[in-house]
């Protein structure tokens, strides 16, 4: 086999050729260095995207903050693949990179008949722009979809540790006291009980981490407007891929299901994506079961067997590293004055971004490689649903709407104010 030659007629080094591969080039072009750049790139590719502007808040460069939504494909498509970025702020850099890579692929490709793609870019634009996991309300959006009208779930482990999870200082006596209290809790209850207490979701302490809110967040209400505007409830089937980072092996994208193991939606996920799908319900996922995730929204909107919701979770660094960077971020907000433009604020923001989207070309290449697998499997699965290979429930869109209307009705009664 003859080697490829460069412009001077010299043989190109194999390592250079590998570094200039299609995926690697896309990795450099797809990942933005700021929320402002990520949004501008997305809108440049999808100039007719719908923008839902967050009122009353600006980004670090005084830019507007917005959830931007683009539809690709037949507006009447029976099946829709939804891909969400930015549910958890700085994790949006990874999700946005995947969305841009997929959009690049679509420039010269066509979708299967009766299948469309819906891109939701920056679902939590405040957190994306300011490198915070939470929304402008201080809410973990992926804990916000409980039925507040019926009452939020309790978390007794959190209540026991509440005073120790965000101590007054990040070093010294009070910090060591908090660490010792956590060590004693782990010793008495185990690591899993600690993880549930810390991050399953809590609804009593707005200054604590993994706070699910007291009411529906702006981004959650915006998601509902998007679903209605694009008539998702009337589709035959909707598959949702919500991109997250920070949990699991470095660079690997785990497809985490939060469906009940015995559900029809879980069975469909297994058929579409195979054994790479993990289940929090079965204990095969790197994630613990959590309260109020986005899965609950789609469940009540569409009903079991008419949708699937999977988190595409990419590993970065270890759990201890995540705890340290999230603690510093929350400490800055609660005890440190909240200045994210000052020296310590800039350091915290840089650490958040480095943890949740490592500036490592190998990590980014692995991200896009896995995401392309998920895209291929997702589109193939939806095509099979269009062709009738999957037996779906016979419930209509009206049935789903009736069920959905009963879910936290009061929480959806006021639309999010903004530039709609």
């Amino acid at each position: 086999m003859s080697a490829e030659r460069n412009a001077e007629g010299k043989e190109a080094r194999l390592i250079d050729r590998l570094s200039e591969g299609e995926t690697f080039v896309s990795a450099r072009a797809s990942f933005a260095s700021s929320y402002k750049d990520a949004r501008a790139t997305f809108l440049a590719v999808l100039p007719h995207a719908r923008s839902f502007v967050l009122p009353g808040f600006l980004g670090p460069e005084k830019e507007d903050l917005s959830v931007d939504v683009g539809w690709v494909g037949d507006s009447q498509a029976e099946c829709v693949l939804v891909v969400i970025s930015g549910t958890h702020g700085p994790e949006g850099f990874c999700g946005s990179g995947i969305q841009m890579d997929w959009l690049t692929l679509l420039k010269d490709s066509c979708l299967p008949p009766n299948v469309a793609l819906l891109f939701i870019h920056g679902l939590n634009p405040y957190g994306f722009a300011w490198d915070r996991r939470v929304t402008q309300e201080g809410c973990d959006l992926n804990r916000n979809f409980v039925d507040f009208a019926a009452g939020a779930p309790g978390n007794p482990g959190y209540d026991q540790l509440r005073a120790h999870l965000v101590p007054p200082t990040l070093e010294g006596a009070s910090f060591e006291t908090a660490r010792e209290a956590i060590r004693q809790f782990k010793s008495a209850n185990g690591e899993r009980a600690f993880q549930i207490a810390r991050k399953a979701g809590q609804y009593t302490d707005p200054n604590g981490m993994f706070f699910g809110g007291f009411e529906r967040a702006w981004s959650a209400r915006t998601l509902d407007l998007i679903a209605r505007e694009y008539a998702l409830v009337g589709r035959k089937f909707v598959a949702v891929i919500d991109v997250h980072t920070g949990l699991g092996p470095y660079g690997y994208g785990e497809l985490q299901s939060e469906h009940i193991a015995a559900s029809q939606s879980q069975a469909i996920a297994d058929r579409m994506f195979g054994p790479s799908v993990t289940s929090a319900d079965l204990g095969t996922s790197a994630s613990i079961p959590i309260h109020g995730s986005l899965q609950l929204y789609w469940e009540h909107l569409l009903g079991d067997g008419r949708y699937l919701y999977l988190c595409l979770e990419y590993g970065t660094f270890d759990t201890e590293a995540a705890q340290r960077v999230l603690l510093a971020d929350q400490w800055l907000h609660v005890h440190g004055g909240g200045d994210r433009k000052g020296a310590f604020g800039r350091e915290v923001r840089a650490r958040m971004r480095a943890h949740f989207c490592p500036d490592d070309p190998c990590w980014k290449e692995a991200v896009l490689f896995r995401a392309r697998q998920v895209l291929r499997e997702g589109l193939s699965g939806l095509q099979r649903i269009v062709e009738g290979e999957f037996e779906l429930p016979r419930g209509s869109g009206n049935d789903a709407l009736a069920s959905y209307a009963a879910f936290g009705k009061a929480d959806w009664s006021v639309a999010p104010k903004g530039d709609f």
Side-chain angles (χ1 to χ4, degrees):
M1 180 182 296
S2 60
E4 182 179 328
R5 296 178 178 274
N6 60 23
E8 289 77 27
K10 298 178 181 178
E11 292 184 354
R13 294 190 306 162
L14 178 58
I15 191 170
D16 292 334
R17 294 177 62 195
L18 290 171
S19 296
E20 293 300 320
E22 179 185 359
T23 304
F24 202 82
V25 170
S26 184
R28 287 199 298 268
S30 297
F31 289 83
S33 60
S34 69
Y35 164 78
K36 183 179 180 181
D37 289 344
R39 184 183 182 219
T41 304
F42 183 82
L43 294 177
V45 176
L46 292 172
H48 300 296
R50 183 86 157 83
S51 294
F52 299 79
V53 178
L54 172 63
F57 293 87
L58 296 173
E61 301 177 60
K62 300 189 183 304
E63 72 272 28
D64 285 338
L65 305 179
S66 174
V67 183
D68 299 298
V69 184
W71 180 278
V72 177
D74 181 1
S75 63
Q76 303 302 312
E78 292 181 334
C79 293
V80 182
L81 178 59
V82 180
V83 57
I84 301 173
S85 68
T87 299
H88 283 149
E91 300 176 28
F93 287 98
C94 175
S96 176
I98 289 171
Q99 289 173 325
M100 294 312 305
D101 182 61
W102 288 11
L103 285 166
T104 300
L105 291 173
L106 287 167
K107 286 180 180 178
D108 301 313
S109 308
C110 61
L111 293 169
N114 252 324
V115 175
L117 276 164
L118 180 63
F119 294 88
I120 301 178
H121 185 271
L123 183 58
N124 168 15
Y126 172 85
F128 196 165
W130 287 101
D131 303 292
R132 293 213 71 197
R133 176 185 172 92
V134 298
T135 67
Q136 69 279 359
E137 300 102 338
C139 169
D140 186 317
L141 187 58
N142 206 34
R143 307 294 187 278
N144 185 239
F145 290 89
V146 299
D147 187 346
F148 289 101
N155 188 338
Y158 178 84
D159 295 336
Q160 185 176 340
L161 288 172
R162 177 174 180 165
H164 307 294
L165 293 173
V166 189
T169 64
L170 292 176
E171 57 185 12
S174 64
F175 181 72
E176 292 304 323
T177 297
R179 291 185 65 185
E180 179 58 29
I182 290 172
R183 280 194 292 266
Q184 291 180 9
F185 182 93
K186 289 182 179 181
S187 178
N189 301 283
E191 179 66 28
R192 181 174 173 81
F194 169 69
Q195 293 300 335
I196 291 173
R198 176 177 170 267
K199 64 182 184 182
Q202 55 88 11
Y203 301 85
T204 58
D205 182 12
N207 286 328
M209 291 187 287
F210 302 95
F211 172 59
F214 294 130
E215 61 185 3
R216 197 70 64 211
W218 178 88
S219 289
R221 301 197 306 274
T222 300
L223 178 62
D224 192 52
L225 288 178
I226 293 166
R228 291 176 180 274
E229 182 159 319
Y230 291 92
L232 296 184
V233 76
R235 310 288 171 172
K236 183 176 184 178
F237 194 87
V238 176
V240 182
I241 303 296
D242 187 8
V243 181
H244 290 260
T245 65
L247 186 63
Y250 188 80
Y252 176 67
E254 178 189 341
L255 276 174
Q256 298 175 347
S257 168
E258 292 168 19
H259 296 286
I260 297 171
S263 67
Q264 295 178 79
S265 288
Q266 180 64 49
I268 293 171
D270 291 336
R271 286 187 65 185
M272 286 179 65
F273 294 98
S276 69
V277 175
T278 63
S279 167
D281 192 32
L282 293 175
T284 59
S285 172
S287 175
I288 60 168
I290 60 176
H291 303 305
S293 77
L294 272 77
Q295 182 266 333
L296 291 175
Y297 172 76
W298 298 102
E299 173 76 20
H300 286 279
L301 180 70
L302 296 166
D304 183 31
R306 293 192 58 239
Y307 82 105
L308 63 85
Y309 170 82
L310 299 173
C311 285
L312 179 54
E313 175 83 50
Y314 287 96
T316 58
F317 303 102
D318 61 57
T319 301
E320 289 294 328
Q323 291 177 9
R324 288 194 298 270
V325 71
L326 287 171
L327 172 58
D329 177 75
Q330 193 68 11
W331 183 92
L332 174 65
H333 177 72
V334 176
H335 301 296
D339 180 8
R340 303 187 74 79
K341 286 191 170 183
F344 185 63
R346 293 195 305 273
E347 178 186 336
V348 168
R349 288 182 59 201
R351 289 171 59 191
M352 287 285 286
R353 190 175 304 182
H355 183 87
F356 290 105
C357 187
D359 189 17
D360 172 5
C362 292
W363 184 86
K364 293 175 181 178
E365 183 176 354
V367 162
L368 297 189
F369 179 83
R370 174 63 172 143
R372 290 184 179 192
Q373 289 181 325
V374 171
L375 174 62
R376 183 185 68 240
E377 293 171 334
L379 292 178
S380 175
L382 292 179
Q383 183 176 16
R384 290 157 62 198
I385 289 176
V386 167
E387 293 169 353
E389 287 190 31
F390 289 71
E391 184 176 349
L392 303 179
R394 295 184 179 181
S396 68
N398 289 333
D399 294 333
L401 277 175
S403 171
Y404 171 68
F407 172 56
K409 184 176 180 181
D411 297 319
W412 304 106
S413 59
V414 179
K417 295 177 182 179
D419 183 6
F420 298 104

